[in-house]
Amino acid sequence: MNKFASIISCLVIFLLMPPQVYAADLNGLVTSLKGGGYVIVFRHGATDDSQKDIYPFKFYDMSAQRQLSEKGRTLARDLGAALAKLGIPIGEVYTSQLNRAVETGKLLSGKDVSPVDALTDSGAGSASAMANPDGKNAKIGRAVRDLVNAPLKAGVNNVVVTHKTNVADAFGKEFGDIREGEALVYKTSSSGPAVLVARVQPGDWIAQTGS
């Protein structure tokens, strides 16, 4: 009986886990992405922890923001090269107003980006603000979901670059563990909200190219 209960418990935990895409499954996703119709939500790349954000935000003062580290910049470039090599077409690129997200978006897409208020760090550095069901966080969460659910141009995938707090506001506390550079891939639909189909680490995109 105890063994049976343990099996059931493991099954429940597995079913409750968010969808993940591993190397063996990424082939099919890449094939689908080549046709467009997806929104790829990235958390910005790795940052320099010795730098701190100063509040209220000063978007044009780089000394008042935490910036990408050289590792973060290199990974964003490598990620962009991988997406291009895989033939994944990118349409609009929306980012936070903070430079670490703007820079990530530019490096991985090779395009100009559109900074959006709703994608800017909604927690202002406070983890306790994450996925707040009331007030501005709920409003920001809805705005992020609206951006992900919006119709796309044919044959392309939109890219969104934001922060951990905004991801949790929009999609739930279970996504509060999203890593720097990690992506949530959403399939859009004309008949309802976009559906999460994968969580992909940056190294998985790069490995898919055989690099």
Side-chain angles (χ1 to χ4, degrees):
M1 184 66 177
N2 286 341
K3 183 177 180 181
F4 178 75
S6 177
I7 292 172
I8 292 297
S9 177
C10 290
L11 180 61
V12 169
I13 291 171
F14 174 78
L15 291 174
L16 289 176
M17 289 174 66
Q20 303 269 347
V21 164
Y22 299 99
D25 304 313
L26 199 51
N27 276 323
L29 178 60
V30 167
T31 299
S32 297
L33 284 165
K34 288 179 180 179
Y38 292 80
V39 177
I40 310 174
V41 181
F42 288 96
R43 184 183 174 192
H44 60 75
T47 53
D48 182 350
D49 285 336
S50 70
Q51 298 175 317
K52 303 298 179 185
D53 289 326
I54 296 175
Y55 308 104
F57 291 125
K58 300 175 183 177
F59 300 123
Y60 299 103
D61 184 353
M62 299 302 102
S63 68
Q65 302 176 38
R66 194 169 84 251
Q67 302 292 327
L68 290 183
S69 62
E70 283 309 312
K71 177 182 176 182
R73 293 186 182 97
T74 298
L75 187 59
R77 291 189 191 98
D78 290 347
L79 177 55
L83 295 176
K85 189 172 182 179
L86 292 170
I88 297 173
I90 295 176
E92 301 297 328
V93 182
Y94 301 102
T95 73
S96 157
Q97 297 176 84
L98 291 169
N99 192 60
R100 56 185 176 271
V102 170
E103 192 173 11
T104 298
K106 288 180 176 179
L107 289 173
L108 70 82
S109 70
K111 305 177 69 170
D112 289 333
V113 304
S114 299
V116 176
D117 185 56
L119 297 176
T120 304
D121 187 2
S122 60
S126 171
S128 64
M130 209 175 295
N132 184 343
D134 302 308
K136 72 163 190 173
N137 285 62
K139 183 178 180 181
I140 286 171
R142 286 193 297 272
V144 174
R145 290 194 300 274
D146 286 345
L147 191 62
V148 171
N149 292 333
L152 304 181
K153 293 179 181 178
V156 298
N157 308 283
N158 284 355
V159 166
V160 169
V161 185
T162 188
H163 306 267
K164 174 171 64 175
T165 313
N166 302 63
V167 169
D169 288 337
F171 308 115
K173 287 183 178 180
E174 62 269 30
F175 296 102
D177 63 350
I178 188 170
R179 300 175 183 175
E180 290 175 323
E182 183 178 353
L184 307 182
V185 183
Y186 285 84
K187 172 63 177 168
T188 62
S189 171
S190 60
S191 59
V195 176
L196 177 68
V197 296
R199 292 182 70 168
V200 188
Q201 298 301 327
D204 294 336
W205 301 106
I206 296 166
Q208 189 68 15
T209 68
S211 301

